[in-house]
Amino acid sequence: MLEVKQLKTTFYTQHGLVNAVNGISYSLDQGEALGIVGESGCGKSVSVLSIMRLIPDPPGRIVGGEVWFQGRDLLKMSLRELRQIRGNRIAMIFQDPLSSLNPIMTIGSQIIEMVLLHTNRSKKEAYEHTVELLKMVGIPDVESRLNDYPHQFSGGMRQRVMIAMALSCDPVLLIADEPTTALDVTIQAQIVDLVKRLRDQLGMAVIWITHDLGVVANSVDKVIVMYAGHIVEVAPVKDFFANPSHPYSIGLLRSLPRLDSNTHQKLISIGGQPSNPSDLHGFCPFVDRCKDAIEKCKHENPLLRELTPSHQIACWVDVHQE
C-alpha cells in the first residue's frame, strides 16, 4: 500500500544544511502496523511529515526519493490532488492535540467540517457520523459535548477527539506521531489500546512514531529503528525484542528497566553524543558511540543487509548480545 524509496529531507538553516532524513526506504502492507523508533532528533517525525508533504518550505525541502501510495507517487502530485489524499485516505494524529485543534471552533464543528470537506455526506449525515465517531473513541455524553471547545476537554479527551477527526473519512492509513507523549501513563495506555482496537475493527494500516519501546512492543507488527536520519535496523516486532542486532538497538533495549528479570542488572547507557545532523556521513553515523566499531566503520556507511528475509541491519559487524 505504501512504499518509501530513498527519501531525503534537508533543512537549510543559518548554521548550514541539516540532513534530517538520509535516503530511507521501507514498505507497508494493507492493515499492517509499523513502529518507527529512535531517540529525539533522529528523523522519525520528519520522515512521516515528508510523506504527507507537510515539511515547511523554507527552511525544509524534500530533496530526493519517491513515496508511492496505492500506485501513485505523492511527491509528484499537485497540491489539489494531494488534498484529496491528506485527511481522507491518509490521516495523522499529532503529538499535541491542543495546538492541533482550532481553539475558537467547537469540537463538533471541526469534525463536521472535515466530513463535509472530504465526503458527499449532507450536514445531517455529517452530524450523525460525528456523534458516532465520538462515541466510538469513548467520549461520554457526546450530544452535550459537541458544542464544547478544545480547552474544555482534558489532554486524553482531546487526543480522543483528534483520533475521531482522523477517522472521520475512513482512512486506509493512520499515522500516529507520538500521540501519547504529553499524557500520563494511564491515559497513554488507553490511547494505545483505542488505536489498536480501531485498527482491528476498521482494517486500516498504522504507522506509530514513538521513542517508547513499550508502545511498540504491544502495538505493531514490524519495527524500524532510526539513527541520525538513517534506518539502522528493520525487524518483525517479536524478533526485534528477542534478537536486536544493531549495536544501537541493543543499547536502546539495555537502557530500559526489565520487570521480568530476577537479577538486579544495572542499566547500561549509550555513551557519547548523537552525531551532527549537519554532516553528510560518508561513514557509519553511530561509529563514535559504538564499542564494536572496526576500521571500516570510520570510512564507509553500511547499507541494510539481510540477517533473515525479514530482519535487516545496517552494520559491518556481526554483533551478538552477551
Side-chain angles (χ1 to χ4, degrees), residues 28-41:
L28 182 70
D29 293 330
Q30 180 71 38
E32 186 178 28
L34 169 69
I36 303 179
V37 303
E39 60 195 45
S40 296

Side-chain angles (χ1 to χ4, degrees), residues 6-76:
Q6 293 298 313
L7 181 64
K8 296 181 181 180
T9 302
T10 299
F11 288 85
Y12 297 81
T13 73
Q14 60 183 354
H15 302 294
L17 294 180
V18 175
N19 304 292
V21 178
N22 296 300
I24 67 171
S25 301
Y26 61 87
S27 61
L28 182 70
D29 293 330
Q30 180 71 38
E32 186 178 28
L34 169 69
I36 303 179
V37 303
E39 60 195 45
S40 296
C42 71
K44 305 184 301 294
S45 295
V46 173
S47 69
V48 293
L49 289 172
S50 300
I51 289 173
M52 301 281 279
R53 282 173 57 187
L54 292 175
I55 298 295
D57 183 5
R61 188 176 302 166
I62 301 168
V63 295
E66 303 171 3
V67 179
W68 290 90
F69 175 70
Q70 295 185 327
R72 303 177 68 192
D73 188 353
L74 298 180
L75 301 187
K76 292 182 180 178

Side-chain angles (χ1 to χ4, degrees), residues 22-289:
N22 296 300
I24 67 171
S25 301
Y26 61 87
S27 61
L28 182 70
D29 293 330
Q30 180 71 38
E32 186 178 28
L34 169 69
I36 303 179
V37 303
E39 60 195 45
S40 296
C42 71
K44 305 184 301 294
S45 295
V46 173
S47 69
V48 293
L49 289 172
S50 300
I51 289 173
M52 301 281 279
R53 282 173 57 187
L54 292 175
I55 298 295
D57 183 5
R61 188 176 302 166
I62 301 168
V63 295
E66 303 171 3
V67 179
W68 290 90
F69 175 70
Q70 295 185 327
R72 303 177 68 192
D73 188 353
L74 298 180
L75 301 187
K76 292 182 180 178
M77 285 185 179
S78 67
L79 286 178
R80 175 177 289 185
E81 291 174 314
L82 195 60
R83 288 190 190 104
Q84 300 304 311
I85 302 291
R86 285 195 304 222
N88 187 7
R89 309 306 293 153
I90 304 176
M92 193 163 180
I93 310 169
F94 294 94
Q95 183 172 336
D96 181 8
L98 190 58
S99 63
S100 303
L101 293 166
N102 190 327
I104 62 172
M105 289 179 67
T106 64
I107 292 298
S109 62
Q110 293 187 58
I111 300 179
I112 289 170
E113 181 183 62
M114 186 89 167
V115 175
L116 292 175
L117 180 65
H118 288 292
T119 71
N120 295 321
R121 288 182 170 94
S122 65
K123 285 187 177 181
K124 181 181 178 182
E125 290 171 334
Y127 173 85
E128 292 170 349
H129 185 53
T130 298
V131 170
E132 185 180 321
L133 285 167
L134 291 174
K135 286 180 178 178
M136 185 189 299
V137 298
I139 301 292
D141 303 319
V142 170
E143 285 83 357
S144 64
R145 303 223 63 182
L146 278 175
N147 294 320
D148 286 349
Y149 292 87
H151 72 272
Q152 295 174 277
F153 287 74
S154 67
M157 285 294 135
R158 282 195 293 266
Q159 199 59 281
R160 288 172 184 266
V161 170
M162 286 298 299
I163 294 171
M165 188 178 295
L167 299 177
S168 62
C169 300
D170 303 318
V172 295
L173 172 58
L174 178 67
I175 299 174
D177 184 11
E178 302 198 43
T180 62
T181 298
L183 307 176
D184 65 59
V185 176
T186 305
I187 304 302
Q188 283 184 24
Q190 292 176 6
I191 296 299
V192 171
D193 287 342
L194 173 62
V195 174
K196 285 170 58 182
R197 177 170 58 81
L198 293 173
R199 175 205 165 198
D200 293 338
Q201 183 178 334
L202 303 175
M204 61 187 176
V206 177
I207 297 178
W208 278 101
I209 309 297
T210 184
H211 57 261
D212 187 340
L213 293 177
V215 170
V216 168
N218 295 306
S219 305
V220 307
D221 305 309
K222 183 169 67 177
V223 179
I224 286 175
V225 182
M226 288 190 67
Y227 184 82
H230 298 268
I231 292 177
V232 296
E233 186 160 2
V234 181
V237 65
K238 290 182 180 179
D239 198 14
F240 173 74
F241 283 96
N243 185 34
S245 299
H246 191 278
Y248 177 62
S249 303
I250 294 171
L252 283 180
L253 290 171
R254 284 180 174 174
S255 67
L256 294 174
R258 293 285 298 268
L259 296 179
D260 61 346
S261 176
N262 294 323
T263 59
H264 298 287
Q265 293 180 339
K266 184 178 180 180
L267 296 181
I268 302 172
S269 62
I270 301 175
Q273 296 293 325
S275 58
N276 188 344
S278 298
D279 296 333
L280 267 177
H281 304 290
F283 50 88
C284 174
F286 191 61
V287 64
D288 293 333
R289 306 176 73 184

